[in-house]
Structure formats: structure tokens, C-alpha cells
């Protein structure tokens, strides 16, 4: 599906399964994805501050997003900077 979208002109696409979407796209995780899409965040702590959330909760959400391949980390000194792996996330159709 990602190849088809790329051939159609939509680059930087990650396709996730319906099951992964149910796990990944909770309201809090969507907020993380939107924030990472809009801003360059220097660290997990900085992201937690930006979202006004507890760092450990943000870390847990980021870990799940990383496990699903939606987020990756860049080393920034002692900090890890969360980044989206692709510009767009597409959920596979159910049928």
C-alpha cells in the first residue's frame, strides 16, 4: 500500500495495520504525534513539558509508538530527541 501511495505522489508514508492503529492512536498518543509533526522537540522531558504531562507517561507512550515504528530517537547529547519516522501515517483499510 505504501508503494502505491508513493507512486501516486504521496511520499513519506507509513502504513500501519488496523490493530496497530487501535494501540497507537489513542488521544494522548495522537497529541504526541501532532506535536512532533509541528515542532522540533529536543528531548523526552521537553516533550513532556510541551504537553504538560508526566515524563514517565510520555516515555511509555513514546516507547509504544517506537515499537510500532512510528517514532524513532535521535541522540542529542545525553537526551533522546523523539522524531516521527514518516510524514504521514495511513491505516490499512478494514476490508
Amino acid at each position: 500500500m505504501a508503494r502505491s501511495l508513493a507512486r501516486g505522489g504521496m511520499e513519506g508514508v507509513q502504513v500501519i495495520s488496523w490493530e496497530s492503529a487501535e494501540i497507537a492512536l489513542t488521544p494522548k498518543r495522537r497529541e504526541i504525534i501532532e506535536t512532533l509533526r509541528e515542532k522540533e522537540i529536543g528531548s523526552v522531558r521537553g516533550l513532556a513539558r510541551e504537553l504538560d504531562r508526566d515524563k514517565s507517561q510520555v516515555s511509555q507512550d513514546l516507547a509504544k509508538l517506537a515499537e510500532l515504528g512510528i517514532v524513532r530517537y535521535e541522540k542529542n547529547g545525553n537526551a533522546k530527541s523523539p522524531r516521527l519516522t514518516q510524514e504521514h501515517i495511513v491505516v490499512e483499510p478494514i476490508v
Side-chain angles (χ1 to χ4, degrees):
M1 181 178 216
R3 277 186 246 127
S4 295
L5 290 169
R7 280 194 299 265
M10 188 174 197
E11 296 291 329
V13 176
Q14 179 174 358
V15 179
I16 62 175
S17 70
W18 183 255
E19 294 80 13
S20 292
E22 287 183 305
I23 295 166
L25 302 179
T26 66
K28 295 288 187 183
R29 291 179 185 154
R30 284 195 319 259
E31 184 180 32
I32 288 172
I33 291 167
E34 278 299 312
T35 301
L36 293 177
R37 196 175 74 154
E38 294 170 359
K39 299 178 179 183
E40 188 160 321
I41 302 294
S43 67
V44 175
R45 185 176 306 281
L47 178 59
R49 267 191 236 115
E50 180 73 30
L51 299 171
D52 195 28
R53 291 183 56 201
D54 180 73
K55 180 186 174 283
S56 66
Q57 292 172 343
V58 171
S59 289
Q60 289 173 9
D61 283 338
L62 284 170
K64 183 51 76 174
L65 292 171
E67 182 182 312
L68 296 169
I70 294 170
V71 169
R72 63 179 167 76
Y73 296 98
E74 289 180 359
K75 280 296 224 178
N76 185 9
N78 289 335
K80 296 188 304 187
S81 300
R83 301 283 184 256
L84 295 176
T85 58
Q86 300 293 329
E87 254 181 81
H88 306 281
I89 299 170
V90 175
V91 179
E92 289 179 338
I94 295 173
V95 272

